[in-house]
Structures are given as C-alpha cells and as structure tokens.
Amino acid sequence: MATGSHQLSSFHTKQASGQHRSSNVSRSASTKMDLKSGLEECAVALNLFLSNKFTDALELLQPWAKDSMYHALGYSTIVVLQAIMTFEQQDIQNGISAMKDALQTCQKYRKKCTVVESVSSFLSRGSLEQMTEEEMHAEICYAECLLQKAALTFVQDENMINFIKGGMKIRTSYQIYKECLSILHVIQKNKIEQQFFYEFEGGVKLGIGAFNLMLSLLPARIIRLLEFIGFSGNRELGLLQLREGASGRSMRSPLCCLTILAFHTYISLILGTGEVNVVEAEGLLAPFLQQFPNGSLMLFYHARIELLKGNVEKAQEIFRKCISVQEEWKQFHHLCYWELMWIHVFQQNWMKAYYYSDLLCKESKWSKATYVFLKAAILSMLPEEDVAATKENVVALFRQVEGLKQRIAGKSIPTEKFAVRKSRRYSPSLPAPVKLVLPALEMMYIWNGFPVLCKRKDLSENLLLTVEKAEATLQNENFSDYSVDDECLVKLLKGCCLKNLQRPLQAELCFSHVIQSEKLLKFDHYLVPFTLFELAFLYKSQGEIDKALKTLETARNNYKDYSMESRLHFRIQAALHLWRKPSSD
C-alpha cells in the first residue's frame, strides 16, 4: 500500500504547482496523447481528487477525454466515485453519461477483433504479438468502464431482479477481465517485457477483485442464476486481488484500497452481518491518511472506522472536520450530515439529530421521502413542547412522504417504500392518526445500527431504557389493529439491546415472542424473518452454529413479499458465507 501511495506522491509537486494542468491545456489539438502521458496525467488528477481539488482534477482530464483512454477513464471514474459516495440521483445519471462517453473513447483503441472473441487463439499459440500494449490497456479501460456501470446499477437499486437484468449487460466486462487475467498470466510466465505492465496488472486486480467481491454478496438464488450465464463470485479471491492491487505501485492502487474500505465500513454493515474487519481497514487507510490528512474521502473513512470501534465522540469530531475542509463538493457534506444524524440518534440527542435530518431534507436530493420520514420519526421521539419549539407539524410531515417517493428508470428505492408503508398510519383517510412507536429506532434497526452500538454499553443501556418505557406505555393502551405489530416491534428492539448487553436469555425471550406472534401480525410482516435473523446471531454467539444455520435457512426460505426483503437476503447470504467458511480459510 505504501508503494501505491508513493506512486501518487511522485506527481505531487507537479499537481501542487498547477504546471501540469496548464501544459495540458496549451497542447495543440493535433497532438496525440501517448500511453505514458495519459497514465501520468491520470495519476496527477487522482492526486488532485484526493486533495479535494475536484474541479482541478476534472479540468485536467476533460480536454483529452475524447482522445485518450486514460483521460476518459479517469474523468468518468471521478464522476462515478462522486455518484457512489453521495448516492445523489443526479450524480448517478451524470456518471452514466460520462461512462458512455468513456466507453466510446476506449473503443477507438481496442483491437477490432475484441479480446473476448480472439484471446483464446492468441493464448493457444502462446503469443501476444498480435496485440499491442496500447490495445491491451484499451481492453482493461473498457472493462473498467463497464464495471462502473455494474457499480452504478448496484448503488441505484437493491432490487435483485433489476440487478439480474443489469447483469446481462455487464457480462462482457466480466469476460474481458477474465481474459485479461489470462493475458496477465501469460506475460508473467513468458517474462514478456512491457513498459507499463504494472498498470495493466493493477487494472486486472481492481476488476477481478471488485467483481468477485460484489458478486459474492448476492443471495444464493441469485448467484445460481448468474452462474448459469457465466458469473461466479469468490469473496476471498476478490479481497486478495484488491489487497495485492492496493499494495502495488499502480495508479489504481488507491482505488483498490477505497473499494476494500467501502466493503469493510459500509457494505458489511448495510448488506452484511455487521462483523467488520476494522484492523485491516485502519491499516489500509493509514498511508493515505498520512499523505492526504485533509482529504475528504480519507477523513470520511477515518470517521467511519472510529465509529465502528465505538469511539462515537471522536467519529463525530472527524465528520465535522470532513465538512470543514472543503466547500467544492457539498455532497460530501451530505454524507457527513447523514452520519452525524445517526450518531445523535445513537446518543438519543433528538434535537441535534433533528437538525441534521432537516439539513438533509433541505439540501440533499437523494431521497426526500426517506429524509422527511426520518425527520418526522426523530421528532416523534421528542416531548410535544420540544416539537412545538421547532414549529414542525409531525403529522403533516408523515403525510408528505408518499408524495415524495421516487421512481428512477421505473424502479423504486426500497427504503422509500418502507417509509411510505409506515407513514400510512397518518393517512387523512383514517379517523385519526395512529402514532408510530419508536420510529427513529425502527429506522436505526433497518440501517443495521445496533451492531455499531455493541461496543458501547452505556448507549445500549440508555436505548434499552427508552424501549422499556415504550413497552410499558403500550401495555396501558387500548387494544387496536396495530397493537400486536407495535408490541412485536418493541420486543425486537428490546431483544437487540439485550443482545448487545450480553444478556442472551432475556434477548431470546423477546425474539421468541415475536416469532410466536407471527399469525397475529397485520401490517409489519417483515418483523418475523428479521427477528429470526437476530435469533440466529444469538445462537451463533453461544456456539450453537448448527442451530444458527437452521434458523437462517428458515428466515431465507419460509418468507417472501415483506418489506426490505432484498436487504435481509443479502445479510443472510453474508452470515451463511462467514459461518459455513472452512477453518482453513
């Protein structure tokens, strides 16, 4: 990793002075950008990007984006990185557009008979003479652009059926990467001299690693379908390739690093079990944090790592610093607002949490329905006099949610659908609004916040007190159509608090209550499969692996058509992968 970091720093002087960018602009339009210059300028642009000089990076790359494959790739990668980090739908659309242009530029440099169609014949003769080094790089750049397409599909929608449809389109990328891996092995075996072999190798490791990692996350039934059309995903291989790429001297080494960091600090939480390799994440980030101490991306991941270690207050401080170091990309601020909102939810500082949810409602375009629901949910946790001081109308906010739901290319966002369903308890068509119970903690559960709190006994104890207070209130209320659902939600949340506090017997009683109430639930049918998932974790923590696996299989196979189903299936797949893993791994 240190080597890859050094590769970037070697261009630091040029970047800081701005001379490289100005020389680029002054070139005549007829000048051809060779492979060496393209790689060098891309490394400078990446350095600029990691130093928060986003516009400078784009301005360096944009003039040659239609003529140089690496400028095209670099330009589209920065735009796509912005889309993935911010989850802004406009950024995603910009990423798709930039990627299409980059694909056209890369296509110009590819061998007319593509790698997928012809590489096997090259390999059978043990020779790559028919393919120039530039054409090899064009293949890897083309495949990388298609990989960005896969990543954007994944970010845009968690719906598994839509991912399968997109999967057919990215098959070409996957095939190219596999063939490029074969080329890599031939070059290494035959010791063929190439000036920029390390860059080609870095591209292969990024692609093979990211593809394997991404595909390994998918639920088993989806993997079986994808294997039928030629895909396969091996998580260990993916992480190994990315680690090797991150430790190399390729321009792509920081991208390999950032991919692993995203996996450890985000994907493992939202689409995984919440069991995070913080030690590796810290080790990978350290050299980049040293080189870019004020880089927004580095600070953001630093804060996430501190949060996952249980250092909530330190994470809070670093997120604030991440906001203060740059004004150019406000979308990075929105990521930090989101994190700070949840930190204040963990601390039950509801007015501060409301402040950040309100900022997101006003400034971010990702999911207005989710933000407004969260704002209303957080306000619901406050005493009425505090709500009055904000001049907000909680009922009116919940009623706005359904009208704010988006459809992107015909697709709905799962968290928005969940928010809409919950908000219907405030519908004007009902005789009177039916107040949601602990809605902010329910959303915290949906976003897998409880594993973050497991290292903080004080915060878990405070949450348990809040949940038990709601439990007592429910017991004194008149029975209604929502009573069983509300009671089961409270039992699930209470069980999660008890599990965090290492009180497994009491936690199991709470989870069992939910499961036994299955046939009495009227609205929140998601509670039973999600509770089975929590129960499986409880069994696993007590060493009852077989019982845990059986419970996971029940949750996966016996329930369908409930809220957030895709997200739970991703988590079940992650748990099965970890728990069934042979000891030799």
Side-chain angles (χ1 to χ4, degrees), residues 427-510:
S427 170
S429 63
L430 295 175
V434 183
K435 192 175 179 182
L436 287 167
V437 177
L438 303 175
L441 299 190
E442 183 177 20
M443 282 300 270
M444 186 184 102
Y445 175 77
I446 290 297
W447 284 95
N448 217 13
F450 281 92
V452 178
L453 288 177
C454 69
K455 292 180 176 64
R456 288 294 296 264
K457 185 180 178 184
D458 56 337
L459 297 179
S460 294
E461 284 176 341
N462 290 338
L463 277 175
L464 180 60
L465 290 174
T466 300
V467 173
E468 287 179 333
K469 185 178 176 183
E471 185 180 38
T473 302
L474 279 177
Q475 289 170 355
N476 295 324
E477 288 183 353
N478 294 328
F479 189 83
S480 75
D481 286 347
Y482 297 91
S483 294
V484 174
D485 296 66
D486 289 344
E487 183 187 7
C488 286
L489 170 62
V490 168
K491 291 289 186 187
L492 171 58
L493 297 174
K494 184 177 180 181
C496 290
C497 291
L498 292 165
K499 181 159 68 80
N500 274 359
L501 292 167
Q502 307 298 312
R503 290 155 68 177
L505 293 177
Q506 290 172 281
E508 186 173 352
L509 284 173
C510 291

XYZ file of all heavy atoms in Angstrom, residues 427-510:
658
model
N -52.425 8.636 7.513
C -53.225 8.988 6.333
C -54.475 9.770 6.711
O -55.148 9.456 7.704
C -53.634 7.702 5.601
O -54.576 7.992 4.603
N -54.818 10.798 5.921
C -56.044 11.565 6.188
C -57.305 10.701 6.091
O -58.359 11.076 6.631
C -56.045 12.640 5.087
C -54.660 12.666 4.554
C -54.086 11.310 4.762
N -57.214 9.552 5.401
C -58.389 8.688 5.250
C -58.750 7.949 6.545
O -59.850 7.426 6.681
C -58.161 7.663 4.130
O -57.079 6.818 4.458
N -57.812 7.886 7.488
C -58.104 7.246 8.773
C -58.869 8.224 9.673
O -58.709 9.444 9.553
C -56.807 6.830 9.469
C -55.955 5.755 8.785
C -54.641 5.553 9.532
C -56.722 4.448 8.706
N -59.684 7.690 10.594
C -60.423 8.576 11.517
C -59.496 9.493 12.305
O -59.817 10.645 12.571
C -61.145 7.588 12.449
C -61.205 6.300 11.691
C -60.009 6.265 10.805
N -58.351 8.961 12.681
C -57.341 9.750 13.404
C -55.985 9.096 13.165
O -55.901 7.888 12.932
C -57.661 9.784 14.897
N -54.906 9.892 13.214
C -53.576 9.304 13.031
C -53.281 8.257 14.121
O -53.680 8.430 15.271
C -52.637 10.508 13.175
C -53.473 11.704 12.905
C -54.848 11.363 13.376
N -52.615 7.180 13.728
C -52.202 6.145 14.682
C -50.695 6.284 14.861
O -49.915 5.951 13.977
C -52.550 4.726 14.165
C -52.186 3.679 15.218
C -54.018 4.638 13.784
N -50.298 6.782 16.012
C -48.903 7.147 16.254
C -47.971 5.940 16.125
O -48.240 4.869 16.658
C -48.767 7.754 17.650
C -47.427 8.416 17.892
C -47.387 9.110 19.252
C -46.019 9.756 19.476
N -45.931 10.396 20.803
N -46.880 6.132 15.392
C -45.857 5.094 15.287
C -45.108 4.968 16.617
O -44.937 5.956 17.335
C -44.856 5.431 14.181
C -45.349 5.281 12.738
C -44.372 5.955 11.772
C -45.517 3.814 12.364
N -44.660 3.769 16.920
C -43.926 3.516 18.155
C -42.426 3.448 17.834
O -42.005 2.664 16.972
C -44.388 2.192 18.802
C -43.567 1.882 20.054
C -45.865 2.262 19.140
N -41.645 4.290 18.490
C -40.182 4.322 18.324
C -39.740 4.295 16.852
O -38.866 3.516 16.455
C -39.544 3.139 19.059
C -39.843 3.017 20.561
C -39.233 1.729 21.111
C -39.298 4.217 21.326
N -40.312 5.155 16.014
C -39.985 5.076 14.579
C -38.517 5.348 14.261
O -37.961 4.768 13.323
C -40.894 6.140 13.944
C -41.206 7.089 15.069
C -41.258 6.256 16.304
N -37.852 6.218 15.041
C -36.436 6.507 14.779
C -35.575 5.274 15.079
O -34.622 4.980 14.355
C -35.964 7.694 15.618
N -35.923 4.539 16.132
C -35.165 3.334 16.467
C -35.471 2.209 15.489
O -34.599 1.376 15.200
C -35.472 2.893 17.906
C -35.121 3.897 19.013
C -35.238 3.232 20.379
C -33.732 4.484 18.832
N -36.682 2.187 14.958
C -37.006 1.195 13.934
C -36.157 1.433 12.684
O -35.615 0.477 12.099
C -38.491 1.252 13.583
C -38.913 0.188 12.578
C -40.412 0.206 12.276
O -41.067 1.250 12.540
O -40.925 -0.804 11.778
N -36.022 2.693 12.277
C -35.184 3.005 11.111
C -33.710 2.739 11.404
O -32.956 2.293 10.531
C -35.380 4.457 10.676
C -36.656 4.687 9.894
S -36.754 3.722 8.353
C -36.012 4.856 7.183
N -33.302 2.985 12.647
C -31.937 2.658 13.042
C -31.693 1.158 12.890
O -30.628 0.733 12.437
C -31.700 3.077 14.491
C -30.277 2.918 14.950
S -30.092 3.314 16.700
C -30.012 1.671 17.394
N -32.697 0.368 13.232
C -32.575 -1.083 13.082
C -32.479 -1.468 11.598
O -31.647 -2.283 11.215
C -33.764 -1.799 13.730
C -33.718 -3.285 13.475
C -32.851 -4.097 14.184
C -34.487 -3.871 12.465
C -32.753 -5.452 13.920
C -34.396 -5.223 12.194
C -33.527 -6.012 12.921
O -33.424 -7.346 12.638
N -33.339 -0.867 10.773
C -33.343 -1.164 9.333
C -31.975 -0.872 8.720
O -31.502 -1.589 7.835
C -34.454 -0.352 8.623
C -35.840 -0.880 9.015
C -34.272 -0.365 7.112
C -36.109 -2.316 8.591
N -31.309 0.190 9.206
C -29.982 0.553 8.690
C -28.870 -0.147 9.464
O -27.700 0.210 9.341
C -29.793 2.078 8.715
C -30.547 2.750 7.602
C -31.798 3.308 7.660
C -30.122 2.892 6.246
N -32.161 3.790 6.430
C -31.161 3.554 5.543
C -28.967 2.535 5.558
C -31.072 3.864 4.179
C -28.876 2.838 4.210
C -29.913 3.495 3.532
N -29.227 -1.152 10.254
C -28.268 -2.010 10.973
C -27.393 -1.212 11.930
O -26.180 -1.417 12.011
C -27.395 -2.803 9.989
C -27.105 -4.215 10.499
O -27.728 -4.685 11.448
N -26.170 -4.896 9.872
N -28.034 -0.331 12.697
C -27.286 0.490 13.651
C -26.892 -0.230 14.927
O -25.938 0.184 15.598
N -27.610 -1.298 15.287
C -27.327 -1.959 16.563
C -25.922 -2.560 16.643
O -25.277 -2.472 17.689
C -28.408 -2.997 16.884
C -29.653 -2.383 17.441
C -30.703 -2.007 16.613
C -29.788 -2.158 18.805
C -31.852 -1.426 17.119
C -30.936 -1.569 19.328
C -31.971 -1.200 18.489
N -25.391 -3.191 15.559
C -24.013 -3.684 15.646
C -22.984 -2.581 15.912
O -21.946 -2.835 16.512
C -23.781 -4.324 14.265
C -25.132 -4.724 13.807
C -26.047 -3.651 14.317
N -23.283 -1.351 15.465
C -22.376 -0.228 15.723
C -22.315 0.061 17.217
O -21.274 0.435 17.758
C -22.835 1.031 14.948
C -21.926 2.217 15.236
C -22.884 0.754 13.450
N -23.461 -0.151 17.905
C -23.552 0.182 19.323
C -23.072 -0.924 20.249
O -23.016 -0.724 21.462
C -25.011 0.513 19.685
C -25.545 1.841 19.151
C -27.005 2.004 19.508
C -24.743 3.001 19.711
N -22.754 -2.089 19.708
C -22.425 -3.225 20.581
C -21.181 -2.967 21.427
O -20.996 -3.596 22.471
C -22.283 -4.515 19.777
S -20.846 -4.552 18.688
N -20.331 -2.023 20.994
C -19.119 -1.713 21.757
C -19.360 -0.603 22.781
O -18.421 -0.203 23.484
C -17.993 -1.320 20.803
C -17.504 -2.470 19.932
C -16.387 -2.039 19.011
C -15.841 -3.215 18.212
N -16.810 -3.800 17.297
N -20.590 -0.098 22.842
C -20.903 0.984 23.778
C -22.029 0.568 24.715
O -23.209 0.733 24.418
C -21.273 2.249 23.001
C -20.101 2.919 22.321
C -19.082 3.478 23.326
N -19.662 4.518 24.126
C -19.545 5.822 23.862
N -18.839 6.223 22.809
N -20.094 6.719 24.648
N -21.629 0.009 25.869
C -22.606 -0.466 26.851
C -23.488 0.674 27.345
O -24.698 0.507 27.526
C -21.869 -1.112 28.028
C -22.786 -1.758 29.051
C -21.994 -2.387 30.191
C -22.951 -2.984 31.224
N -22.219 -3.528 32.402
N -22.896 1.856 27.531
C -23.665 2.991 28.057
C -24.802 3.381 27.112
O -25.953 3.573 27.549
C -22.754 4.188 28.324
C -21.950 4.619 27.098
O -21.729 3.782 26.180
O -21.536 5.808 27.042
N -24.504 3.465 25.825
C -25.536 3.856 24.855
C -26.590 2.762 24.709
O -27.785 3.049 24.567
C -24.895 4.158 23.493
C -23.911 5.340 23.461
C -23.339 5.521 22.063
C -24.586 6.633 23.923
N -26.162 1.496 24.746
C -27.115 0.382 24.650
C -28.050 0.349 25.855
O -29.244 0.085 25.723
C -26.363 -0.949 24.534
O -25.650 -1.018 23.316
N -27.513 0.637 27.042
C -28.346 0.668 28.254
C -29.372 1.796 28.184
O -30.530 1.618 28.570
C -27.470 0.820 29.495
C -26.755 -0.475 29.882
C -25.808 -0.302 31.053
O -25.419 0.864 31.346
O -25.452 -1.321 31.676
N -28.939 2.953 27.693
C -29.866 4.083 27.563
C -30.973 3.784 26.549
O -32.135 4.151 26.747
C -29.109 5.345 27.155
C -28.237 5.876 28.277
O -28.478 5.577 29.451
N -27.215 6.645 27.936
N -30.600 3.120 25.459
C -31.603 2.729 24.465
C -32.594 1.734 25.058
O -33.802 1.816 24.810
C -30.939 2.117 23.233
C -30.409 3.079 22.175
C -29.686 2.295 21.085
C -31.523 3.908 21.556
N -32.086 0.794 25.851
C -32.960 -0.194 26.485
C -33.986 0.489 27.390
O -35.166 0.102 27.401
C -32.128 -1.197 27.291
C -32.913 -2.289 28.023
C -33.732 -3.138 27.043
C -31.974 -3.179 28.828
N -33.556 1.497 28.115
C -34.495 2.240 28.981
C -35.604 2.881 28.153
O -36.779 2.846 28.529
C -33.742 3.324 29.769
C -32.792 2.836 30.878
C -32.013 4.009 31.457
C -33.596 2.138 31.986
N -35.241 3.461 27.013
C -36.242 4.090 26.124
C -37.221 3.051 25.584
O -38.433 3.290 25.533
C -35.522 4.799 24.955
O -34.666 5.801 25.485
C -36.520 5.431 24.000
N -36.689 1.891 25.181
C -37.538 0.824 24.642
C -38.473 0.285 25.727
O -39.666 0.059 25.480
C -36.664 -0.304 24.052
C -37.525 -1.502 23.653
C -35.890 0.200 22.833
N -37.965 0.086 26.930
C -38.794 -0.431 28.029
C -39.878 0.571 28.433
O -40.983 0.178 28.807
C -37.911 -0.781 29.225
C -37.088 -2.042 28.993
C -36.192 -2.401 30.145
O -35.789 -1.487 30.911
O -35.872 -3.593 30.300
N -39.580 1.842 28.310
C -40.587 2.874 28.590
C -41.723 2.791 27.570
O -42.915 2.875 27.921
C -39.926 4.259 28.554
C -40.858 5.404 28.948
C -40.101 6.730 28.919
C -41.049 7.894 29.209
N -40.347 9.206 29.127
N -41.359 2.593 26.290
C -42.378 2.437 25.244
C -43.175 1.155 25.466
O -44.402 1.126 25.237
C -41.710 2.410 23.869
N -42.515 0.115 25.919
C -43.174 -1.166 26.202
C -44.229 -1.000 27.292
O -45.367 -1.497 27.175
C -42.121 -2.187 26.634
C -42.640 -3.593 26.853
C -41.533 -4.544 27.269
O -40.641 -4.129 28.048
O -41.561 -5.706 26.813
N -43.882 -0.264 28.342
C -44.825 -0.028 29.443
C -46.009 0.816 28.975
O -47.167 0.560 29.361
C -44.102 0.669 30.598
N -45.737 1.795 28.124
C -46.816 2.649 27.603
C -47.804 1.827 26.777
O -49.026 2.005 26.899
C -46.217 3.778 26.736
O -45.303 4.542 27.524
C -47.312 4.692 26.199
N -47.282 0.929 25.944
C -48.150 0.081 25.112
C -49.069 -0.792 25.955
O -50.233 -1.012 25.608
C -47.294 -0.809 24.201
C -46.742 -0.198 22.914
C -45.860 -1.218 22.198
C -47.866 0.256 21.985
N -48.546 -1.297 27.049
C -49.340 -2.187 27.909
C -50.528 -1.483 28.540
O -51.518 -2.118 28.903
C -48.435 -2.796 28.994
C -47.460 -3.831 28.447
C -46.414 -4.252 29.464
O -46.337 -3.704 30.574
N -45.588 -5.217 29.099
N -50.442 -0.167 28.647
C -51.532 0.610 29.264
C -52.505 1.197 28.243
O -53.434 1.906 28.613
C -50.934 1.743 30.114
C -50.138 1.211 31.289
O -50.516 0.200 31.879
N -49.042 1.881 31.627
N -52.256 0.921 26.950
C -53.133 1.486 25.915
C -54.221 0.493 25.518
O -54.072 -0.726 25.692
C -52.302 1.866 24.677
C -51.437 3.088 24.899
C -50.672 3.502 23.650
O -50.723 2.750 22.646
O -50.022 4.555 23.674
N -55.312 1.030 24.966
C -56.401 0.174 24.483
C -55.934 -0.640 23.274
O -55.141 -0.172 22.465
C -57.609 1.029 24.091
C -58.222 1.721 25.294
O -58.200 1.186 26.415
N -58.770 2.915 25.077
N -56.461 -1.845 23.139
C -56.079 -2.725 22.038
C -56.613 -2.167 20.717
O -57.738 -1.668 20.643
C -56.637 -4.131 22.275
C -56.124 -5.149 21.299
C -54.900 -5.765 21.511
C -56.843 -5.468 20.156
C -54.405 -6.694 20.601
C -56.353 -6.392 19.244
C -55.140 -7.014 19.477
N -55.800 -2.242 19.665
C -56.210 -1.774 18.335
C -55.648 -2.724 17.283
O -54.927 -3.674 17.602
C -55.683 -0.353 18.084
O -54.286 -0.389 17.823
N -55.946 -2.430 16.004
C -55.422 -3.252 14.909
C -53.896 -3.268 14.875
O -53.288 -4.188 14.323
C -55.932 -2.725 13.560
C -57.398 -3.059 13.334
O -57.932 -3.892 14.097
O -57.998 -2.486 12.411
N -53.269 -2.232 15.422
C -51.815 -2.096 15.359
C -51.110 -2.598 16.616
O -49.880 -2.629 16.666
C -51.446 -0.622 15.136
C -51.939 -0.064 13.825
C -53.192 0.568 13.742
C -51.172 -0.157 12.670
C -53.644 1.076 12.535
C -51.630 0.360 11.461
C -52.864 0.969 11.406
O -53.320 1.475 10.215
N -51.867 -3.001 17.625
C -51.262 -3.325 18.927
C -50.241 -4.448 18.853
O -49.141 -4.337 19.405
C -52.364 -3.682 19.940
O -53.172 -2.562 20.205
N -50.580 -5.541 18.162
C -49.661 -6.680 18.101
C -48.399 -6.301 17.332
O -47.268 -6.619 17.748
C -50.335 -7.913 17.454
C -49.320 -9.045 17.262
C -51.497 -8.396 18.311
N -48.564 -5.599 16.223
C -47.406 -5.178 15.428
C -46.483 -4.281 16.251
O -45.254 -4.453 16.230
C -47.871 -4.431 14.174
C -48.678 -5.318 13.237
O -49.780 -5.740 13.637
O -48.206 -5.591 12.125
N -47.079 -3.331 16.975
C -46.271 -2.418 17.794
C -45.553 -3.165 18.913
O -44.369 -2.914 19.195
C -47.151 -1.318 18.383
C -47.620 -0.325 17.329
O -47.035 -0.307 16.227
O -48.571 0.429 17.603
N -46.260 -4.078 19.533
C -45.668 -4.863 20.620
C -44.488 -5.695 20.101
O -43.435 -5.776 20.740
C -46.729 -5.780 21.235
C -46.227 -6.593 22.412
C -47.257 -7.619 22.896
O -48.308 -7.788 22.235
O -46.994 -8.249 23.924
N -44.657 -6.293 18.924
C -43.589 -7.121 18.351
C -42.383 -6.278 17.943
O -41.228 -6.700 18.108
C -44.120 -7.913 17.157
S -45.179 -9.294 17.650
N -42.629 -5.077 17.412
C -41.524 -4.186 17.084
C -40.721 -3.862 18.342
O -39.478 -3.927 18.336
C -42.041 -2.893 16.446
C -40.994 -1.769 16.283
C -39.854 -2.205 15.372
C -41.644 -0.486 15.774
N -41.424 -3.522 19.410
C -40.745 -3.186 20.668
C -39.952 -4.382 21.190
O -38.818 -4.230 21.668
C -41.772 -2.689 21.714
C -41.139 -2.607 23.096
C -42.319 -1.322 21.306
N -40.509 -5.572 21.082
C -39.802 -6.779 21.533
C -38.533 -7.025 20.698
O -37.496 -7.424 21.235
C -40.714 -8.007 21.448
C -41.849 -8.016 22.454
C -41.351 -8.255 23.872
C -42.538 -8.405 24.839
N -42.068 -8.472 26.248
N -38.614 -6.789 19.390
C -37.436 -6.946 18.539
C -36.344 -5.964 18.943
O -35.172 -6.344 19.104
C -37.808 -6.741 17.065
C -36.650 -6.668 16.061
C -35.786 -7.924 16.104
C -37.176 -6.445 14.638
N -36.719 -4.691 19.129
C -35.748 -3.672 19.524
C -35.170 -3.964 20.905
O -33.955 -3.808 21.132
C -36.400 -2.280 19.499
C -36.892 -1.786 18.134
C -37.640 -0.467 18.280
C -35.743 -1.640 17.146
N -36.008 -4.411 21.805
C -35.548 -4.746 23.160
C -34.565 -5.918 23.103
O -33.520 -5.911 23.764
C -36.747 -5.094 24.053
C -36.381 -5.370 25.505
C -37.627 -5.646 26.343
C -37.279 -5.924 27.792
N -38.494 -6.207 28.611
N -34.907 -6.922 22.281
C -34.016 -8.079 22.131
C -32.651 -7.676 21.602
O -31.617 -8.195 22.042
N -32.629 -6.724 20.657
C -31.354 -6.253 20.099
C -30.519 -5.530 21.159
O -29.286 -5.703 21.214
C -31.605 -5.332 18.906
S -32.240 -6.197 17.452
N -31.184 -4.735 22.000
C -30.471 -4.058 23.094
C -29.895 -5.083 24.066
O -28.729 -4.989 24.477
C -31.418 -3.122 23.844
S -31.963 -1.683 22.921
N -30.701 -6.075 24.439
C -30.258 -7.107 25.383
C -29.115 -7.937 24.794
O -28.188 -8.330 25.497
C -31.438 -8.002 25.760
C -32.532 -7.321 26.603
C -33.804 -8.163 26.613
C -32.042 -7.096 28.039
N -29.208 -8.205 23.491
C -28.137 -8.951 22.817
C -26.828 -8.173 22.892
O -25.768 -8.740 23.168
C -28.537 -9.211 21.354
C -27.517 -10.003 20.545
C -28.147 -10.648 19.320
C -28.570 -9.648 18.285
N -27.450 -9.154 17.443
N -26.894 -6.858 22.640
C -25.703 -6.011 22.747
C -25.136 -6.002 24.161
O -23.927 -5.859 24.357
C -26.034 -4.574 22.329
C -25.924 -4.352 20.833
O -25.580 -5.262 20.086
N -26.221 -3.149 20.391
N -26.004 -6.133 25.158
C -25.589 -6.075 26.565
C -25.216 -7.446 27.124
O -25.089 -7.609 28.339
C -26.714 -5.446 27.405
C -26.975 -3.959 27.119
C -28.293 -3.505 27.739
C -25.818 -3.108 27.648
N -25.070 -8.435 26.213
C -24.661 -9.789 26.618
C -25.640 -10.408 27.614
O -25.244 -11.035 28.597
C -23.247 -9.751 27.243
C -22.188 -9.090 26.391
C -21.975 -9.820 25.060
O -21.844 -11.029 25.044
N -21.955 -9.074 23.976
N -26.929 -10.233 27.327
C -27.982 -10.863 28.145
C -28.804 -11.778 27.234
O -29.954 -11.491 26.896
C -28.846 -9.786 28.813
C -28.075 -9.040 29.905
C -28.599 -7.644 30.178
N -29.916 -7.630 30.774
C -30.559 -6.519 31.151
N -29.960 -5.334 30.994
N -31.769 -6.577 31.658
N -28.207 -12.906 26.799
C -28.797 -13.727 25.736
C -30.130 -14.389 26.085
O -30.988 -14.504 25.213
C -27.709 -14.779 25.457
C -26.883 -14.819 26.702
C -26.904 -13.428 27.245
N -30.314 -14.810 27.309
C -31.564 -15.496 27.666
C -32.744 -14.548 27.571
O -33.804 -14.906 27.033
C -31.462 -16.093 29.074
C -30.457 -17.246 29.227
C -30.392 -17.718 30.681
C -30.842 -18.416 28.317
N -32.571 -13.335 28.085
C -33.653 -12.342 28.002
C -33.900 -11.931 26.549
O -35.045 -11.735 26.144
C -33.294 -11.119 28.845
C -33.329 -11.378 30.343
C -32.785 -10.186 31.117
O -31.583 -9.982 31.223
N -33.675 -9.368 31.636
N -32.804 -11.798 25.779
C -32.940 -11.443 24.363
C -33.720 -12.522 23.627
O -34.622 -12.221 22.826
C -31.566 -11.248 23.731
N -33.413 -13.786 23.904
C -34.103 -14.890 23.226
C -35.596 -14.895 23.541
O -36.431 -15.184 22.662
C -33.475 -16.225 23.626
C -34.051 -17.398 22.853
C -33.327 -18.705 23.120
O -32.274 -18.701 23.787
O -33.831 -19.756 22.655
N -35.953 -14.563 24.777
C -37.380 -14.485 25.146
C -38.094 -13.434 24.293
O -39.216 -13.661 23.833
C -37.534 -14.148 26.630
C -37.257 -15.288 27.625
C -37.278 -14.749 29.062
C -38.312 -16.388 27.464
N -37.440 -12.295 24.097
C -38.033 -11.223 23.273
C -38.207 -11.687 21.831
O -39.278 -11.497 21.224
C -37.150 -9.976 23.318
S -37.120 -9.141 24.904
